[in-house]
């Protein structure tokens, strides 16, 4: 029961922090049977919350044992059923080697028992959360655990890689993509790799995990590929309805293609390198012009007829009118606790600048602040109006906050589209010129990619 309650709370908290959480390949996740889930670990405690709230079945979580050193957090983790895993480096200089082995033996038994009972277990085989632009080398713990379970007679275990891709993990209102890979039957893998050990299985798990994540050689290349992917995706696609947030799915795939092309650029002939420089300059020039005119890249291809504009205005205006009260109430009623939580979270980063901390700390502080705020509001309203009205107002506050969370993004997108519409209407030839430039840039990008990724023998 506690797990279900906390799962609902975590899902609400995540969707209040991030603008959109989309899942690619959710149907591939096995609904029953023993399952080992391996995921990348870019965002501290947010990562297990995402996996636990986006997959349809209960997941046994594992966490580094050092988290259990805090008494309050340890009590919560034990209550939810989190299994502590102690890493070798946690014991360096502690003189507790035997205790460490005993504790991990208990963890292995707990995980094996969960798999034997047909449960799902989540492990982060990188071992630590980090800001690197690629997954870290995987530890062998996940492979050793699942091989031990198999050796003890557990059959039908499936291995599932889950990739967590954040637009900007520390920024509120950013987007998240959860990619679910193809499950692999451990029995079939062992039959095809007779005599292989935990190291071989770890390499296989790493291949699965790389297939559902973005991995770049440097942070600079990551920033460049993601930026170009956003621009090129917007150039090549039609505007989506304002009710629909953009998905990171297509952009993540495009970012991977861009990074492959960037790698190939090092060995490209001079004329291809020059073409890449020209393309990059044209994209920068285009973006600067759009920013100067207040035009959203994603909305250049919208219809600029007055008929469609009036229809858009009436539809979005009516929606705004209907939801104006909960939108305003949701913002006003929660501004103090949410702003306070964000301020405290950012202030705590002065001694720890890791980008994998702001979201986690904001959500934790936010839940504490909202809990205290709701208690204060209930006491105040109970004193003024009585308990029945107090409960009613608190429910209204909560619903309003959820409406704000769901409708705030649409309101921002509608405002952005309206501004683009007016800018394009003000200059009758502007949209036609921009679309021609868009099409030319897309054609040039496709040609450049083909030139960079063609087999080396084809260039001789």
């Amino acid at each position: 029961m506690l797990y279900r309650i906390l799962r609902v709370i975590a899902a609400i908290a995540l969707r209040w922090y991030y603008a959109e959480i989309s899942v690619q390949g959710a149907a591939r996740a096995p609904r029953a049977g023993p399952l080992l889930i391996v995921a990348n670990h870019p965002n501290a405690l947010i990562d297990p919350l995402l996996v636990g709230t986006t997959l349809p079945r209960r997941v046994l979580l594992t966490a580094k044992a050092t988290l259990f050193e805090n008494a309050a957090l340890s009590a919560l983790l034990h209550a939810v059923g989190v299994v502590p895993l102690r890493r070798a480096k946690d014991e360096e200089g502690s003189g507790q080697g035997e205790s460490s082995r005993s504790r991990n033996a208990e963890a292995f038994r707990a995980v094996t028992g969960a798999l034997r009972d047909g449960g799902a277990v989540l492990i982060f085989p990188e071992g630590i959360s980090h800001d690197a632009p690629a997954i870290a080398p995987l530890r062998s713990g996940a492979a050793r655990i699942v091989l031990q379970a198999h050796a003890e007679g557990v059959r039908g275990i499936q291995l599932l890689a889950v990739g967590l891709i954040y637009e900007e993990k520390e920024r509120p209102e950013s987007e998240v993509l959860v990619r679910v890979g193809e499950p692999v039957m451990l029995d079939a893998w062992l039959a095809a790799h007779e005599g292989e050990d935990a190291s071989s299985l770890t390499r296989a798990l790493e291949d699965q995990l790389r297939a559902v994540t973005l991995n770049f050689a440097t942070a600079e290349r990551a920033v460049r590929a993601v930026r170009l992917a956003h621009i090129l995706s917007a150039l090549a696609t039609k505007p989506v309805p304002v009710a629909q947030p953009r998905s990171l799915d297509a952009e993540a795939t495009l970012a991977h293609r861009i990074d492959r092309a960037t790698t190939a650029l090092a060995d490209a002939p001079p004329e291809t390198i020059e073409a890449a420089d020209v393309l990059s300059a044209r994209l920068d020039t285009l973006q600067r012009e759009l920013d100067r005119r207040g035009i959203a890249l994603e909305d250049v291809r919208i219809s600029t007829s007055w008929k469609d504009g009036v229809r858009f205005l009436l539809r979005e205006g009516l929606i705004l009118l209907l939801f104006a009260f909960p939108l305003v109430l949701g913002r006003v009623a929660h501004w103090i606790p949410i702003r306070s939580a964000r301020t405290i979270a950012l202030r705590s980063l002065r001694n720890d600048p890791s980008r994998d901390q702001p979201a986690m700390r904001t959500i934790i502080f936010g839940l504490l602040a909202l809990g205290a705020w709701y208690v204060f509001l209930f006491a105040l309203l109970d004193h003024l109006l009585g308990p029945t009205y107090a409960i009613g107002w608190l429910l209204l506050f909560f619903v309003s906050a959820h409406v704000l969370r769901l409708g705030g993004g649409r309101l921002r997108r509608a405002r952005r589209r309206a501004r683009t519409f007016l800018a394009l209407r003000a200059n009758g030839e502007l949209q036609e010129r921009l679309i021609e430039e868009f099409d030319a840039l897309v054609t040039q990008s496709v040609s450049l990619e083909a030139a960079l990724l063609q087999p080396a023998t084809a260039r001789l």
Side-chain angles (χ1 to χ4, degrees):
M1 178 61 73
L2 179 60
Y3 179 91
R4 293 180 180 178
I5 293 174
L6 292 178
R7 188 177 189 270
V8 171
I9 293 174
I12 293 173
L14 289 170
R15 282 162 175 78
W16 279 14
Y17 190 90
Y18 292 108
E20 180 71 12
I21 300 174
S22 54
V23 184
Q24 179 195 47
R28 290 195 285 264
R31 298 299 183 100
L35 177 66
L36 177 72
I37 305 166
V38 293
N40 59 320
H41 204 7
N43 205 8
L45 288 178
I46 300 299
D47 297 332
L49 295 182
L50 268 176
V51 176
T53 55
T54 54
L55 294 187
R57 57 190 294 187
R58 176 165 182 163
V59 176
L60 176 68
L61 305 177
T62 60
K64 59 184 180 182
T66 52
L67 292 176
F68 290 76
E69 295 173 359
N70 180 288
L73 183 57
S74 176
L76 177 62
L77 294 176
H78 278 300
V80 179
V82 178
V83 175
L85 291 176
R86 187 168 294 279
R87 303 164 300 176
K89 74 172 189 176
D90 296 331
E91 299 301 331
E92 292 177 0
S94 67
Q96 297 181 353
E98 185 61 36
S99 171
S100 161
R101 286 191 291 272
S102 173
R103 189 173 307 179
N104 269 337
E106 294 175 4
F108 275 40
R109 283 195 293 271
V111 172
T112 299
L115 293 172
R116 182 178 292 109
D117 294 337
V121 179
L122 169 64
I123 293 181
F124 295 99
E126 292 174 280
I128 57 172
S129 177
H130 60 86
D131 292 332
I135 61 173
L138 302 194
R139 311 294 178 89
S140 63
R144 289 188 290 113
I145 285 176
V146 78
L147 288 175
Q148 176 176 312
H150 185 271
E152 294 181 9
V154 181
R155 296 294 181 266
I157 300 175
Q158 298 190 69
L159 311 174
L160 184 71
V162 174
L164 306 175
I165 300 174
Y166 296 86
E167 181 186 20
E168 292 182 56
K169 60 185 179 182
E170 73 276 22
R171 180 171 65 84
E173 306 298 330
S174 58
E175 301 184 16
V176 183
L177 173 64
V178 180
R179 274 181 165 175
V180 180
E182 291 286 351
V184 174
M185 292 295 301
L186 178 64
D187 298 342
W189 188 91
L190 290 174
H193 300 80
E194 187 175 354
E196 299 284 5
D197 57 8
S199 297
S200 301
L201 182 56
T202 299
R203 288 193 294 272
L205 291 174
E206 182 168 337
D207 291 340
Q208 291 183 52
L209 202 50
R210 286 186 177 277
V212 292
T213 56
L214 294 180
N215 297 278
F216 303 99
T218 65
E220 292 74 16
R221 281 180 58 165
V223 171
R224 177 182 176 82
V226 170
R227 171 181 169 273
L228 288 177
H230 172 64
I231 293 175
L232 291 174
S233 178
L235 294 181
T237 58
K238 296 180 179 180
V240 298
V242 292
Q244 176 185 333
R246 70 183 180 92
S247 172
L248 290 180
D249 184 13
E251 291 184 22
T253 301
L254 192 53
H256 176 68
R257 290 170 57 188
I258 290 171
D259 193 58
R260 286 181 60 213
T262 301
T263 300
L265 196 61
D267 299 321
E271 60 271 16
T272 303
I273 297 176
E274 182 180 358
D277 292 338
V278 170
L279 175 61
S280 179
R282 289 181 67 182
L283 290 171
D284 289 340
T285 300
L286 174 64
Q287 187 64 68
R288 284 195 298 269
E289 180 184 4
L290 295 177
D291 292 342
R292 178 172 54 83
R293 294 179 179 273
I295 297 174
L297 183 70
E298 300 89 340
D299 295 334
V300 168
R301 297 180 185 270
I302 62 171
S303 169
T304 56
S305 72
W306 280 119
K307 180 180 179 181
D308 290 332
V310 170
R311 184 184 297 114
F312 174 87
L313 177 62
L314 291 176
R315 184 186 69 241
E316 299 304 317
L318 179 59
I319 292 174
L320 178 60
L321 184 62
L322 291 174
F323 292 97
F325 177 72
L327 287 171
V328 173
L329 182 62
R331 181 172 295 278
V332 171
H334 297 85
W335 187 87
I336 291 177
I338 290 177
R339 177 62 62 178
S340 299
R342 183 66 176 164
T343 301
I344 295 172
L346 292 178
R347 184 173 298 173
S348 69
L349 296 178
R350 293 175 180 174
N351 298 324
D352 184 4
S354 301
R355 292 177 54 239
D356 63 351
Q357 298 299 313
M360 177 191 73
R361 295 182 180 182
T362 299
I363 287 178
I364 291 175
F365 293 146
L367 289 174
L368 295 174
L370 281 172
W373 182 247
Y374 270 56
V375 170
F376 167 75
L377 289 178
F378 177 80
L380 177 63
L381 292 170
D382 179 42
H383 175 73
L384 295 175
L385 305 172
T388 302
Y389 284 102
I391 293 174
W393 273 103
L394 289 185
L395 289 175
L396 182 59
F397 289 157
F398 180 82
V399 172
S400 296
H402 206 54
V403 171
L404 175 64
R405 188 66 203 84
L406 296 176
R410 176 172 183 151
L411 184 61
R412 286 189 296 273
R413 292 189 294 272
R415 185 169 60 244
R416 181 192 68 193
R417 184 158 296 183
R419 186 171 61 246
T420 297
F421 176 86
L422 294 175
L424 294 176
R425 285 290 309 183
N427 187 332
E429 298 179 355
L430 178 60
Q431 185 181 38
E432 182 178 352
R433 178 175 65 80
L434 289 175
I435 290 177
E436 289 179 357
E437 179 71 359
F438 277 24
D439 293 339
L441 287 169
V442 170
T443 300
Q444 185 177 354
S445 301
V446 171
S447 299
L448 180 60
E449 180 186 33
L452 287 169
L453 300 184
Q454 64 181 326
T457 53
R459 296 200 296 261
L460 297 179

